[in-house]
Amino acid sequence: MSSPLIIGDTGSPSAMHGLHGGRGVNHWKRFVTGLMLHADWDSFEHNTLEVGGLIGEHVHTRTEEIYFIIAGRGLMRLDDEEREVGPGDLIMTPLNGRHSIENVGDTQLEFIVVEALPPSIAELLPAYRPTEVGAQAPGERS
């Protein structure tokens, strides 16, 4: 079985309103999920958050997240700390870290989010790799 070629773009994202109890619209596009990858990643996503928008405070109990800011200005909250973030900034939110991000600029806040499974979680999940014998790639029929 050969691995499928996966091509994604930032077109046609989903419009998510009031995400995690926040406000405004976040345009969200997930390029790949963990079942498409060999590494213990859960997802790779592109986001644009409208001016004044807020992705509300939330906690991930299964994944760690890495945010990479492409454009705009944001206010990132992690537990009891907050920092202004902008283009080129990378923010790591640990497992069980309470976090949110708000667009505090006058243009869209654009960022990439990568969700990764820490070893303590990955070890508990069933084994799956796209090239395992007998494994089915997403969208593939037997």
Side-chain angles (χ1 to χ4, degrees):
M1 175 176 90
S2 65
S3 295
L5 175 63
I6 300 168
I7 300 173
D9 64 37
T10 58
S12 304
S14 298
M16 303 178 81
H17 299 259
L19 188 59
H20 297 294
R23 65 179 176 275
V25 179
N26 178 50
H27 296 276
W28 175 79
K29 174 76 177 218
R30 179 173 275 184
F31 291 112
V32 294
T33 64
L35 294 179
M36 298 172 182
L37 304 168
H38 294 274
D40 290 325
W41 289 20
D42 189 59
S43 66
F44 187 93
E45 307 160 354
H46 178 262
N47 294 265
T48 54
L49 184 59
E50 69 179 19
V51 174
L54 167 71
I55 295 175
E57 191 173 274
H58 60 286
V59 173
H60 292 266
T61 59
R62 196 175 86 93
T63 60
E64 299 172 304
E65 284 187 313
I66 301 167
Y67 287 69
F68 180 75
I69 308 300
I70 298 169
R73 303 299 306 167
L75 185 63
M76 186 77 189
R77 292 178 185 89
L78 176 58
D79 295 324
D80 296 325
E81 292 189 44
E82 61 182 33
R83 297 266 200 283
E84 189 166 321
V85 295
D89 287 341
L90 184 133
I91 306 101
M92 296 178 8
T93 65
L95 190 66
N96 297 312
R98 185 174 28 90
H99 59 282
S100 67
I101 191 164
E102 180 178 10
N103 184 341
V104 295
D106 55 5
T107 61
Q108 285 189 350
L109 177 62
E110 182 179 5
F111 54 99
I112 297 291
V113 174
V114 175
E115 290 190 57
L117 297 161
S120 61
I121 300 295
E123 291 167 0
L124 300 175
L125 298 174
Y128 177 88
R129 294 291 180 260
T131 58
E132 284 184 10
V133 175
Q136 226 176 305
E140 198 173 70
R141 293 180 180 226
S142 43

